[in-house]
Amino acid sequence: MANPRIRSPRKTKEQLEQLTPVIASIHHKDLKEFLEHNIEGVNQEINKHNHEIRKSLKRMQSLTHYVITAKEILDKMD
């Protein structure tokens, strides 16, 4: 399995307040417009992570079901 990507530590509110105007000006956007667009992108990323977690849980449930069923078959063989 691939190693999970680790992001940098969370930024504090003060750091965001200082950094946001700089990044917004780089992208030639109004501060409010930039933040709204950025929030939308982060929400999409959260949804992707939730989707991956759900897929992983389904795989784990399937594998667990296999193990339980295989153990039942083994027990019948004895």
Side-chain angles (χ1 to χ4, degrees):
M1 180 171 11
N3 291 332
R5 248 179 27 185
I6 305 298
R7 298 242 176 206
S8 60
R10 286 191 229 182
K11 292 185 180 8
T12 63
K13 185 177 181 179
E14 292 78 24
Q15 289 173 325
L16 283 175
E17 286 175 341
Q18 292 172 359
L19 191 60
T20 302
V22 175
I23 297 175
S25 66
I26 290 172
H27 291 282
H28 305 291
K29 290 187 177 182
D30 176 51
L31 187 61
K32 186 176 178 181
E33 179 186 2
F34 173 76
L35 283 174
E36 289 171 349
H37 180 73
N38 210 23
I39 289 169
E40 186 179 318
V42 170
N43 280 332
Q44 287 177 359
E45 190 171 339
I46 290 169
N47 288 338
K48 279 193 237 175
H49 285 292
N50 283 336
H51 183 70
E52 288 298 319
I53 290 168
R54 286 187 186 111
K55 283 175 28 181
S56 293
L57 285 173
K58 285 181 183 179
R59 281 188 216 111
M60 290 166 51
Q61 288 172 338
S62 176
L63 292 170
T64 303
H65 176 73
Y66 170 80
V67 169
I68 291 170
T69 306
K71 282 183 179 181
E72 289 175 356
I73 293 170
L74 271 176
D75 289 344
K76 284 184 182 179
M77 290 179 171
D78 290 336

